[in-house]
Amino acid sequence: MAETKESYLTLNSDDSQSFAGLVQQAEDLAALSIARQFQENPELTVVTVIITATRSRQLVPVLRSRVSRRDWQKDSRIELWTRYFADAKLLLGFRDSNVSAANTGPSPAINVPAPSRSASRQNDPGFRDD
């Protein structure tokens, strides 16, 4: 019988870390977690790991890795089984060094849908809060 497991892990990022460094740390953590879960539970057939990062009081998904045991045994390079959240860099407040001073003000709010929901109930025309 197939058994799957989904894990959520969070990294804390500080101002001294680059976004590339954060992504590397997230990949390392995902790979370690996947390997450990397959080793500890021989019944697992698929593992999903979602890595979020917290920085400046923002909690943002950075990557999601999903791999079967068979594929992981064939090739354990994490980047093959990983999808990256493109807006994580901006949402976590990482800035490129060539951004002009005029663009350093507060950024507009950006809504990020939860990975398990296609839309929130508040956005549903049939939603009632009474």
mmCIF file of all heavy atoms in Angstrom, residues 43-83:
data_model
loop_
_atom_site.group_PDB
_atom_site.id
_atom_site.type_symbol
_atom_site.label_atom_id
_atom_site.label_comp_id
_atom_site.label_asym_id
_atom_site.label_seq_id
_atom_site.Cartn_x
_atom_site.Cartn_y
_atom_site.Cartn_z
ATOM 1 N N GLU A 43 7.906 2.126 4.620
ATOM 2 C CA GLU A 43 6.602 2.061 3.964
ATOM 3 C C GLU A 43 6.311 3.288 3.106
ATOM 4 O O GLU A 43 5.398 3.269 2.277
ATOM 5 C CB GLU A 43 5.482 1.919 5.014
ATOM 6 C CG GLU A 43 5.636 0.705 5.915
ATOM 7 C CD GLU A 43 5.603 -0.604 5.128
ATOM 8 O OE1 GLU A 43 4.710 -0.751 4.269
ATOM 9 O OE2 GLU A 43 6.464 -1.462 5.379
ATOM 10 N N LEU A 44 7.055 4.381 3.319
ATOM 11 C CA LEU A 44 6.812 5.613 2.567
ATOM 12 C C LEU A 44 7.132 5.406 1.093
ATOM 13 O O LEU A 44 8.183 4.876 0.748
ATOM 14 C CB LEU A 44 7.677 6.757 3.085
ATOM 15 C CG LEU A 44 7.166 7.551 4.272
ATOM 16 C CD1 LEU A 44 8.172 8.630 4.650
ATOM 17 C CD2 LEU A 44 5.820 8.169 3.991
ATOM 18 N N THR A 45 6.218 5.855 0.235
ATOM 19 C CA THR A 45 6.468 5.777 -1.203
ATOM 20 C C THR A 45 6.676 7.161 -1.810
ATOM 21 O O THR A 45 7.353 7.290 -2.823
ATOM 22 C CB THR A 45 5.315 5.068 -1.932
ATOM 23 O OG1 THR A 45 4.098 5.731 -1.599
ATOM 24 C CG2 THR A 45 5.239 3.607 -1.522
ATOM 25 N N VAL A 46 6.093 8.202 -1.200
ATOM 26 C CA VAL A 46 6.230 9.569 -1.704
ATOM 27 C C VAL A 46 6.401 10.519 -0.519
ATOM 28 O O VAL A 46 5.685 10.402 0.479
ATOM 29 C CB VAL A 46 4.998 10.005 -2.534
ATOM 30 C CG1 VAL A 46 5.119 11.468 -2.959
ATOM 31 C CG2 VAL A 46 4.826 9.117 -3.749
ATOM 32 N N VAL A 47 7.341 11.445 -0.652
ATOM 33 C CA VAL A 47 7.561 12.458 0.379
ATOM 34 C C VAL A 47 7.436 13.836 -0.271
ATOM 35 O O VAL A 47 7.963 14.068 -1.354
ATOM 36 C CB VAL A 47 8.957 12.318 1.027
ATOM 37 C CG1 VAL A 47 9.290 13.504 1.913
ATOM 38 C CG2 VAL A 47 9.044 11.027 1.824
ATOM 39 N N THR A 48 6.731 14.722 0.423
ATOM 40 C CA THR A 48 6.641 16.128 0.020
ATOM 41 C C THR A 48 7.163 16.969 1.171
ATOM 42 O O THR A 48 6.760 16.766 2.316
ATOM 43 C CB THR A 48 5.189 16.539 -0.287
ATOM 44 O OG1 THR A 48 4.696 15.715 -1.340
ATOM 45 C CG2 THR A 48 5.104 17.998 -0.701
ATOM 46 N N VAL A 49 8.056 17.897 0.866
ATOM 47 C CA VAL A 49 8.597 18.807 1.872
ATOM 48 C C VAL A 49 8.382 20.226 1.366
ATOM 49 O O VAL A 49 8.744 20.548 0.231
ATOM 50 C CB VAL A 49 10.102 18.560 2.116
ATOM 51 C CG1 VAL A 49 10.669 19.574 3.093
ATOM 52 C CG2 VAL A 49 10.338 17.144 2.625
ATOM 53 N N ILE A 50 7.785 21.053 2.207
ATOM 54 C CA ILE A 50 7.579 22.462 1.884
ATOM 55 C C ILE A 50 8.411 23.274 2.865
ATOM 56 O O ILE A 50 8.259 23.136 4.080
ATOM 57 C CB ILE A 50 6.093 22.842 1.958
ATOM 58 C CG1 ILE A 50 5.330 22.017 0.918
ATOM 59 C CG2 ILE A 50 5.901 24.343 1.737
ATOM 60 C CD1 ILE A 50 3.854 21.975 1.109
ATOM 61 N N ILE A 51 9.310 24.079 2.324
ATOM 62 C CA ILE A 51 10.193 24.906 3.146
ATOM 63 C C ILE A 51 9.704 26.348 3.073
ATOM 64 O O ILE A 51 9.578 26.907 1.982
ATOM 65 C CB ILE A 51 11.657 24.843 2.667
ATOM 66 C CG1 ILE A 51 12.156 23.401 2.544
ATOM 67 C CG2 ILE A 51 12.558 25.690 3.577
ATOM 68 C CD1 ILE A 51 12.384 22.682 3.833
ATOM 69 N N THR A 52 9.437 26.922 4.233
ATOM 70 C CA THR A 52 9.106 28.338 4.310
ATOM 71 C C THR A 52 10.261 29.040 5.010
ATOM 72 O O THR A 52 11.070 28.413 5.694
ATOM 73 C CB THR A 52 7.802 28.584 5.098
ATOM 74 O OG1 THR A 52 7.939 28.034 6.404
ATOM 75 C CG2 THR A 52 6.606 27.961 4.402
ATOM 76 N N ALA A 53 10.327 30.345 4.809
ATOM 77 C CA ALA A 53 11.360 31.143 5.472
ATOM 78 C C ALA A 53 10.683 32.308 6.168
ATOM 79 O O ALA A 53 9.681 32.844 5.690
ATOM 80 C CB ALA A 53 12.386 31.651 4.470
ATOM 81 N N THR A 54 11.249 32.674 7.301
ATOM 82 C CA THR A 54 10.760 33.846 8.005
ATOM 83 C C THR A 54 11.873 34.885 8.029
ATOM 84 O O THR A 54 13.033 34.563 8.270
ATOM 85 C CB THR A 54 10.268 33.486 9.425
ATOM 86 O OG1 THR A 54 9.786 34.657 10.054
ATOM 87 C CG2 THR A 54 11.356 32.862 10.268
ATOM 88 N N ARG A 55 11.497 36.107 7.709
ATOM 89 C CA ARG A 55 12.450 37.222 7.687
ATOM 90 C C ARG A 55 11.657 38.508 7.852
ATOM 91 O O ARG A 55 10.667 38.713 7.151
ATOM 92 C CB ARG A 55 13.218 37.241 6.369
ATOM 93 C CG ARG A 55 14.291 38.320 6.279
ATOM 94 C CD ARG A 55 15.100 38.111 5.006
ATOM 95 N NE ARG A 55 16.249 38.980 4.969
ATOM 96 C CZ ARG A 55 16.334 40.055 4.181
ATOM 97 N NH1 ARG A 55 15.345 40.355 3.370
ATOM 98 N NH2 ARG A 55 17.421 40.808 4.200
ATOM 99 N N SER A 56 12.081 39.348 8.749
ATOM 100 C CA SER A 56 11.403 40.617 9.010
ATOM 101 C C SER A 56 9.909 40.406 9.237
ATOM 102 O O SER A 56 9.069 41.086 8.660
ATOM 103 C CB SER A 56 11.628 41.596 7.850
ATOM 104 O OG SER A 56 12.998 41.801 7.645
ATOM 105 N N ARG A 57 9.589 39.430 10.038
ATOM 106 C CA ARG A 57 8.215 39.077 10.419
ATOM 107 C C ARG A 57 7.347 38.630 9.250
ATOM 108 O O ARG A 57 6.133 38.609 9.349
ATOM 109 C CB ARG A 57 7.544 40.222 11.179
ATOM 110 C CG ARG A 57 8.262 40.537 12.480
ATOM 111 C CD ARG A 57 7.534 41.561 13.271
ATOM 112 N NE ARG A 57 7.164 42.708 12.447
ATOM 113 C CZ ARG A 57 7.098 43.942 12.876
ATOM 114 N NH1 ARG A 57 7.376 44.197 14.120
ATOM 115 N NH2 ARG A 57 6.751 44.921 12.081
ATOM 116 N N GLN A 58 7.952 38.255 8.136
ATOM 117 C CA GLN A 58 7.235 37.695 6.988
ATOM 118 C C GLN A 58 7.502 36.193 6.954
ATOM 119 O O GLN A 58 8.635 35.758 7.134
ATOM 120 C CB GLN A 58 7.723 38.319 5.672
ATOM 121 C CG GLN A 58 7.486 39.794 5.540
ATOM 122 C CD GLN A 58 6.014 40.130 5.411
ATOM 123 O OE1 GLN A 58 5.238 39.394 4.824
ATOM 124 N NE2 GLN A 58 5.616 41.237 6.002
ATOM 125 N N LEU A 59 6.470 35.405 6.711
ATOM 126 C CA LEU A 59 6.602 33.956 6.558
ATOM 127 C C LEU A 59 6.163 33.614 5.139
ATOM 128 O O LEU A 59 5.004 33.827 4.777
ATOM 129 C CB LEU A 59 5.734 33.223 7.582
ATOM 130 C CG LEU A 59 5.821 31.705 7.565
ATOM 131 C CD1 LEU A 59 7.230 31.238 7.923
ATOM 132 C CD2 LEU A 59 4.817 31.125 8.548
ATOM 133 N N VAL A 60 7.102 33.123 4.330
ATOM 134 C CA VAL A 60 6.867 32.945 2.900
ATOM 135 C C VAL A 60 7.375 31.571 2.457
ATOM 136 O O VAL A 60 8.482 31.171 2.830
ATOM 137 C CB VAL A 60 7.597 34.058 2.102
ATOM 138 C CG1 VAL A 60 7.441 33.865 0.602
ATOM 139 C CG2 VAL A 60 7.096 35.432 2.520
ATOM 140 N N PRO A 61 6.597 30.848 1.630
ATOM 141 C CA PRO A 61 7.105 29.588 1.080
ATOM 142 C C PRO A 61 8.239 29.856 0.095
ATOM 143 O O PRO A 61 8.156 30.778 -0.717
ATOM 144 C CB PRO A 61 5.890 28.975 0.370
ATOM 145 C CG PRO A 61 4.941 30.094 0.164
ATOM 146 C CD PRO A 61 5.244 31.141 1.195
ATOM 147 N N VAL A 62 9.306 29.064 0.206
ATOM 148 C CA VAL A 62 10.475 29.222 -0.665
ATOM 149 C C VAL A 62 10.510 28.116 -1.715
ATOM 150 O O VAL A 62 10.751 28.368 -2.886
ATOM 151 C CB VAL A 62 11.780 29.225 0.161
ATOM 152 C CG1 VAL A 62 13.011 29.256 -0.732
ATOM 153 C CG2 VAL A 62 11.784 30.388 1.140
ATOM 154 N N LEU A 63 10.260 26.880 -1.289
ATOM 155 C CA LEU A 63 10.291 25.772 -2.234
ATOM 156 C C LEU A 63 9.409 24.627 -1.764
ATOM 157 O O LEU A 63 9.048 24.540 -0.592
ATOM 158 C CB LEU A 63 11.723 25.286 -2.493
ATOM 159 C CG LEU A 63 12.558 24.764 -1.331
ATOM 160 C CD1 LEU A 63 12.243 23.306 -1.009
ATOM 161 C CD2 LEU A 63 14.023 24.881 -1.668
ATOM 162 N N ARG A 64 9.097 23.757 -2.718
ATOM 163 C CA ARG A 64 8.310 22.550 -2.442
ATOM 164 C C ARG A 64 8.957 21.409 -3.212
ATOM 165 O O ARG A 64 9.115 21.488 -4.435
ATOM 166 C CB ARG A 64 6.872 22.737 -2.914
ATOM 167 C CG ARG A 64 6.005 21.504 -2.797
ATOM 168 C CD ARG A 64 4.635 21.801 -3.424
ATOM 169 N NE ARG A 64 3.791 20.643 -3.435
ATOM 170 C CZ ARG A 64 3.744 19.748 -4.418
ATOM 171 N NH1 ARG A 64 4.524 19.893 -5.479
ATOM 172 N NH2 ARG A 64 2.941 18.717 -4.353
ATOM 173 N N SER A 65 9.342 20.366 -2.495
ATOM 174 C CA SER A 65 9.947 19.192 -3.123
ATOM 175 C C SER A 65 9.016 18.002 -2.936
ATOM 176 O O SER A 65 8.518 17.766 -1.834
ATOM 177 C CB SER A 65 11.298 18.869 -2.481
ATOM 178 O OG SER A 65 12.195 19.934 -2.643
ATOM 179 N N ARG A 66 8.777 17.282 -4.019
ATOM 180 C CA ARG A 66 7.934 16.086 -3.971
ATOM 181 C C ARG A 66 8.616 15.017 -4.811
ATOM 182 O O ARG A 66 8.909 15.237 -5.992
ATOM 183 C CB ARG A 66 6.546 16.380 -4.516
ATOM 184 C CG ARG A 66 5.619 15.173 -4.502
ATOM 185 C CD ARG A 66 4.241 15.557 -5.031
ATOM 186 N NE ARG A 66 3.368 14.425 -5.165
ATOM 187 C CZ ARG A 66 2.589 13.954 -4.202
ATOM 188 N NH1 ARG A 66 2.577 14.540 -3.024
ATOM 189 N NH2 ARG A 66 1.825 12.906 -4.400
ATOM 190 N N VAL A 67 8.845 13.867 -4.192
ATOM 191 C CA VAL A 67 9.582 12.809 -4.892
ATOM 192 C C VAL A 67 9.142 11.441 -4.384
ATOM 193 O O VAL A 67 8.836 11.262 -3.205
ATOM 194 C CB VAL A 67 11.114 13.008 -4.739
ATOM 195 C CG1 VAL A 67 11.557 12.912 -3.291
ATOM 196 C CG2 VAL A 67 11.901 12.047 -5.616
ATOM 197 N N SER A 68 9.128 10.486 -5.299
ATOM 198 C CA SER A 68 8.844 9.107 -4.912
ATOM 199 C C SER A 68 10.148 8.451 -4.455
ATOM 200 O O SER A 68 11.239 8.897 -4.811
ATOM 201 C CB SER A 68 8.263 8.329 -6.095
ATOM 202 O OG SER A 68 9.259 8.130 -7.081
ATOM 203 N N ARG A 69 10.007 7.402 -3.685
ATOM 204 C CA ARG A 69 11.191 6.661 -3.215
ATOM 205 C C ARG A 69 12.004 6.155 -4.414
ATOM 206 O O ARG A 69 13.227 6.277 -4.443
ATOM 207 C CB ARG A 69 10.770 5.482 -2.339
ATOM 208 C CG ARG A 69 11.944 4.672 -1.808
ATOM 209 C CD ARG A 69 11.495 3.459 -1.011
ATOM 210 N NE ARG A 69 10.805 3.842 0.193
ATOM 211 C CZ ARG A 69 11.392 4.091 1.368
ATOM 212 N NH1 ARG A 69 12.709 4.016 1.461
ATOM 213 N NH2 ARG A 69 10.693 4.417 2.421
ATOM 214 N N ARG A 70 11.325 5.615 -5.412
ATOM 215 C CA ARG A 70 12.022 5.066 -6.580
ATOM 216 C C ARG A 70 12.825 6.144 -7.293
ATOM 217 O O ARG A 70 13.994 5.934 -7.637
ATOM 218 C CB ARG A 70 11.015 4.432 -7.540
ATOM 219 C CG ARG A 70 11.680 3.747 -8.706
ATOM 220 C CD ARG A 70 10.722 2.999 -9.617
ATOM 221 N NE ARG A 70 9.369 2.903 -9.130
ATOM 222 C CZ ARG A 70 8.283 3.113 -9.876
ATOM 223 N NH1 ARG A 70 8.411 3.424 -11.143
ATOM 224 N NH2 ARG A 70 7.083 2.994 -9.373
ATOM 225 N N ASP A 71 12.213 7.316 -7.513
ATOM 226 C CA ASP A 71 12.933 8.407 -8.183
ATOM 227 C C ASP A 71 14.101 8.908 -7.339
ATOM 228 O O ASP A 71 15.170 9.217 -7.863
ATOM 229 C CB ASP A 71 11.990 9.563 -8.508
ATOM 230 C CG ASP A 71 11.047 9.235 -9.655
ATOM 231 O OD1 ASP A 71 11.337 8.297 -10.433
ATOM 232 O OD2 ASP A 71 10.009 9.914 -9.769
ATOM 233 N N TRP A 72 13.907 9.012 -6.018
ATOM 234 C CA TRP A 72 14.963 9.491 -5.120
ATOM 235 C C TRP A 72 16.148 8.528 -5.136
ATOM 236 O O TRP A 72 17.307 8.951 -5.097
ATOM 237 C CB TRP A 72 14.397 9.646 -3.708
ATOM 238 C CG TRP A 72 15.346 10.261 -2.733
ATOM 239 C CD1 TRP A 72 16.014 9.624 -1.717
ATOM 240 C CD2 TRP A 72 15.734 11.635 -2.650
ATOM 241 N NE1 TRP A 72 16.785 10.517 -1.020
ATOM 242 C CE2 TRP A 72 16.637 11.763 -1.575
ATOM 243 C CE3 TRP A 72 15.407 12.769 -3.388
ATOM 244 C CZ2 TRP A 72 17.206 12.976 -1.214
ATOM 245 C CZ3 TRP A 72 15.976 13.974 -3.027
ATOM 246 C CH2 TRP A 72 16.868 14.071 -1.952
ATOM 247 N N GLN A 73 15.856 7.221 -5.193
ATOM 248 C CA GLN A 73 16.941 6.238 -5.235
ATOM 249 C C GLN A 73 17.707 6.317 -6.553
ATOM 250 O O GLN A 73 18.914 6.096 -6.581
ATOM 251 C CB GLN A 73 16.388 4.828 -5.005
ATOM 252 C CG GLN A 73 15.958 4.615 -3.567
ATOM 253 C CD GLN A 73 15.214 3.299 -3.355
ATOM 254 O OE1 GLN A 73 14.718 2.686 -4.291
ATOM 255 N NE2 GLN A 73 15.143 2.874 -2.108
ATOM 256 N N LYS A 74 17.024 6.669 -7.634
ATOM 257 C CA LYS A 74 17.684 6.820 -8.933
ATOM 258 C C LYS A 74 18.546 8.070 -8.984
ATOM 259 O O LYS A 74 19.642 8.065 -9.522
ATOM 260 C CB LYS A 74 16.647 6.912 -10.057
ATOM 261 C CG LYS A 74 15.985 5.621 -10.409
ATOM 262 C CD LYS A 74 15.043 5.853 -11.584
ATOM 263 C CE LYS A 74 14.037 4.751 -11.728
ATOM 264 N NZ LYS A 74 13.004 5.083 -12.719
ATOM 265 N N ASP A 75 18.021 9.184 -8.431
ATOM 266 C CA ASP A 75 18.734 10.457 -8.509
ATOM 267 C C ASP A 75 18.274 11.360 -7.368
ATOM 268 O O ASP A 75 17.132 11.808 -7.357
ATOM 269 C CB ASP A 75 18.467 11.131 -9.853
ATOM 270 C CG ASP A 75 19.450 12.251 -10.146
ATOM 271 O OD1 ASP A 75 20.032 12.815 -9.195
ATOM 272 O OD2 ASP A 75 19.637 12.572 -11.332
ATOM 273 N N SER A 76 19.147 11.609 -6.421
ATOM 274 C CA SER A 76 18.787 12.382 -5.223
ATOM 275 C C SER A 76 19.148 13.865 -5.329
ATOM 276 O O SER A 76 19.213 14.550 -4.320
ATOM 277 C CB SER A 76 19.434 11.764 -3.983
ATOM 278 O OG SER A 76 20.845 11.829 -4.096
ATOM 279 N N ARG A 77 19.362 14.351 -6.556
ATOM 280 C CA ARG A 77 19.613 15.795 -6.703
ATOM 281 C C ARG A 77 18.301 16.535 -6.442
ATOM 282 O O ARG A 77 17.357 16.417 -7.216
ATOM 283 C CB ARG A 77 20.155 16.121 -8.097
ATOM 284 C CG ARG A 77 21.597 15.645 -8.276
ATOM 285 C CD ARG A 77 22.097 15.949 -9.656
ATOM 286 N NE ARG A 77 21.316 15.137 -10.620
ATOM 287 C CZ ARG A 77 21.295 15.366 -11.927
ATOM 288 N NH1 ARG A 77 21.966 16.363 -12.456
ATOM 289 N NH2 ARG A 77 20.589 14.583 -12.727
ATOM 290 N N ILE A 78 18.273 17.301 -5.377
ATOM 291 C CA ILE A 78 17.041 17.928 -4.904
ATOM 292 C C ILE A 78 16.397 18.836 -5.949
ATOM 293 O O ILE A 78 15.169 18.909 -6.046
ATOM 294 C CB ILE A 78 17.284 18.670 -3.558
ATOM 295 C CG1 ILE A 78 15.957 19.046 -2.896
ATOM 296 C CG2 ILE A 78 18.169 19.888 -3.756
ATOM 297 C CD1 ILE A 78 15.158 17.879 -2.393
ATOM 298 N N GLU A 79 17.210 19.510 -6.751
ATOM 299 C CA GLU A 79 16.643 20.456 -7.717
ATOM 300 C C GLU A 79 15.778 19.769 -8.778
ATOM 301 O O GLU A 79 14.926 20.409 -9.388
ATOM 302 C CB GLU A 79 17.738 21.312 -8.364
ATOM 303 C CG GLU A 79 18.769 20.547 -9.153
ATOM 304 C CD GLU A 79 19.947 20.023 -8.330
ATOM 305 O OE1 GLU A 79 19.909 20.092 -7.076
ATOM 306 O OE2 GLU A 79 20.898 19.510 -8.939
ATOM 307 N N LEU A 80 15.957 18.476 -8.984
ATOM 308 C CA LEU A 80 15.129 17.744 -9.950
ATOM 309 C C LEU A 80 13.691 17.590 -9.474
ATOM 310 O O LEU A 80 12.776 17.450 -10.284
ATOM 311 C CB LEU A 80 15.716 16.349 -10.210
ATOM 312 C CG LEU A 80 17.082 16.295 -10.848
ATOM 313 C CD1 LEU A 80 17.561 14.853 -10.925
ATOM 314 C CD2 LEU A 80 17.040 16.931 -12.222
ATOM 315 N N TRP A 81 13.501 17.583 -8.170
ATOM 316 C CA TRP A 81 12.189 17.293 -7.579
ATOM 317 C C TRP A 81 11.581 18.521 -6.903
ATOM 318 O O TRP A 81 10.632 18.406 -6.138
ATOM 319 C CB TRP A 81 12.325 16.145 -6.579
ATOM 320 C CG TRP A 81 13.217 15.059 -7.105
ATOM 321 C CD1 TRP A 81 14.435 14.678 -6.617
ATOM 322 C CD2 TRP A 81 12.984 14.236 -8.252
ATOM 323 N NE1 TRP A 81 14.964 13.678 -7.391
ATOM 324 C CE2 TRP A 81 14.091 13.384 -8.408
ATOM 325 C CE3 TRP A 81 11.937 14.145 -9.180
ATOM 326 C CZ2 TRP A 81 14.191 12.448 -9.428
ATOM 327 C CZ3 TRP A 81 12.037 13.212 -10.201
ATOM 328 C CH2 TRP A 81 13.151 12.375 -10.313
ATOM 329 N N THR A 82 12.129 19.693 -7.180
ATOM 330 C CA THR A 82 11.750 20.896 -6.443
ATOM 331 C C THR A 82 11.128 21.944 -7.355
ATOM 332 O O THR A 82 11.588 22.161 -8.472
ATOM 333 C CB THR A 82 12.982 21.481 -5.737
ATOM 334 O OG1 THR A 82 13.479 20.498 -4.823
ATOM 335 C CG2 THR A 82 12.651 22.746 -4.968
ATOM 336 N N ARG A 83 10.092 22.595 -6.834
ATOM 337 C CA ARG A 83 9.492 23.772 -7.471
ATOM 338 C C ARG A 83 9.767 24.955 -6.555
ATOM 339 O O ARG A 83 9.589 24.865 -5.338
ATOM 340 C CB ARG A 83 7.978 23.604 -7.646
ATOM 341 C CG ARG A 83 7.586 22.413 -8.503
ATOM 342 C CD ARG A 83 8.055 22.579 -9.949
ATOM 343 N NE ARG A 83 7.865 21.358 -10.720
ATOM 344 C CZ ARG A 83 8.828 20.520 -11.070
ATOM 345 N NH1 ARG A 83 10.067 20.733 -10.690
ATOM 346 N NH2 ARG A 83 8.570 19.459 -11.797
#
